[in-house]
Amino acid sequence: EAQVTQNPRYLITVTGKKLTVTCSQNMNHEYMSWYRQDPGLGLRQIYYSMNVEVTDKGDVPEGYKVSRKEKRNFPLILESPSPNQTSLYFCASSFSSGAGIETQYFGPGTRLLVL
Amino acid sequence: AQTVTQSQPEMSVQEAETVTLSCTYDTSENNYYLFWYKQPPSRQMILVIRQEAYKQQNATENRFSVNFQKAAKSFSLKISDSQLGDTAMYFCAFMKGGSNYKLTFGKGTLLTVNP
């Protein structure tokens, strides 16, 4: 089954304790992205990757890092989490068929609470 | 920068009736894509419908259709024969063509379908 998976789905942590949220897709997509969703703000892009070893900042990259060492994986790293990073996080993937941009597929979301 | 505006934070409709959700966007681009995503209580992001800006014909997917007015920069979603399972948050999203594939989201409209 084609899917985007995220782990963990729920996480409670404390300020300053490094954490990683994993994202994996089995569709051989080149493009992957991270979004955060906050009440009243919709979803905002954090980082994206056009392919292996190619990453760039989105609209709200502060406090986050990413890496893309393999095509299927795109982990989101919070080196020193703070309470303002409490949010719902989504990973998404897509490819371009040549006829245009294809639809982005979203993971199930990771709910993070930073105390 | 692109912006997406959903002017209706909440809406309700009776089961089997028709409802229209509004979305306007601001862009200077000519090549772009528009999407409606549905987010039910499970928080999963589900694609409802997509529209390529170069296509004049409005997209339809079963009970869902759009009214795409390019000159007015308007992209409304019509849901016919509303069902209880349509209860969800609906997000309108914009993507610039040939770009980094970033989706710019509106803040969402919470739709409740009443029995």
Side-chain angles (χ1 to χ4, degrees):
Chain A
E1 178 190 357
Q3 60 182 351
V4 180
T5 57
Q6 294 179 227
N7 282 293
R9 295 288 312 280
Y10 304 91
L11 180 60
I12 301 173
T13 190
V14 295
T15 299
K17 186 176 181 181
K18 181 180 178 180
L19 67 92
T20 299
V21 183
T22 64
C23 173
S24 183
Q25 49 93 5
N26 62 2
M27 296 169 279
N28 202 37
H29 286 170
E30 294 90 358
Y31 172 81
M32 298 184 76
S33 181
W34 278 102
Y35 294 85
R36 61 178 288 174
Q37 181 181 8
D38 302 292
L41 296 178
L43 283 79
R44 296 174 293 166
Q45 189 186 56
I46 303 171
Y47 267 95
Y48 67 95
S49 170
M50 299 297 286
N51 215 323
V52 176
E53 302 292 1
V54 180
T55 64
D56 207 346
K57 297 177 181 179
D59 293 328
V60 288
E62 295 78 18
Y64 304 95
K65 285 176 59 177
V66 293
S67 69
R68 187 91 182 272
K69 294 184 171 58
E70 305 166 281
K71 198 171 187 178
R72 63 183 293 126
N73 297 322
F74 189 46
L76 179 69
I77 303 158
L78 285 71
E79 294 270 1
S80 182
S82 61
N84 65 12
Q85 292 178 297
T86 292
S87 189
L88 178 60
Y89 292 87
F90 287 99
C91 180
S93 74
S94 183
F95 74 99
S96 178
S97 67
I101 295 171
E102 294 299 326
T103 301
Q104 288 192 35
Y105 294 86
F106 282 81
T110 294
R111 186 171 290 282
L112 173 65
L113 172 61
V114 183
L115 300 173
Chain B
Q2 284 70 231
T3 59
V4 178
T5 302
Q6 294 179 248
S7 59
Q8 306 148 314
E10 294 187 36
M11 293 188 72
S12 63
V13 64
Q14 292 299 121
E15 196 174 6
E17 294 189 347
T18 295
V19 64
T20 298
L21 280 57
S22 301
C23 173
T24 59
Y25 58 94
D26 186 24
T27 185
S28 58
E29 302 293 332
N30 196 46
N31 177 24
Y32 55 87
Y33 303 78
L34 295 163
F35 303 84
W36 278 99
Y37 278 88
K38 168 185 176 181
Q39 188 179 47
S42 67
R43 298 296 190 179
Q44 178 73 46
M45 293 291 289
I46 302 166
L47 178 71
V48 175
I49 199 164
R50 59 176 274 166
Q51 174 82 42
E52 292 86 345
Y54 63 84
K55 289 186 178 179
Q56 293 187 338
Q57 186 172 8
N58 289 326
T60 62
E61 286 288 342
N62 302 313
R63 298 183 294 108
F64 299 88
S65 61
V66 298
N67 182 5
F68 174 47
Q69 300 290 327
K70 190 172 183 179
K73 296 180 182 174
S74 172
F75 183 62
S76 61
L77 174 70
K78 186 171 84 171
I79 306 174
S80 304
D81 186 25
S82 298
Q83 301 176 359
L84 297 178
D86 294 334
T87 292
M89 182 74 84
Y90 287 81
F91 291 99
C92 180
F94 172 100
M95 179 190 293
K96 184 174 128 180
S99 69
N100 65 8
Y101 301 174
K102 181 179 81 171
L103 286 165
T104 299
F105 287 87
K107 295 183 180 181
T109 296
L110 178 60
L111 176 67
T112 302
V113 180
N114 298 309

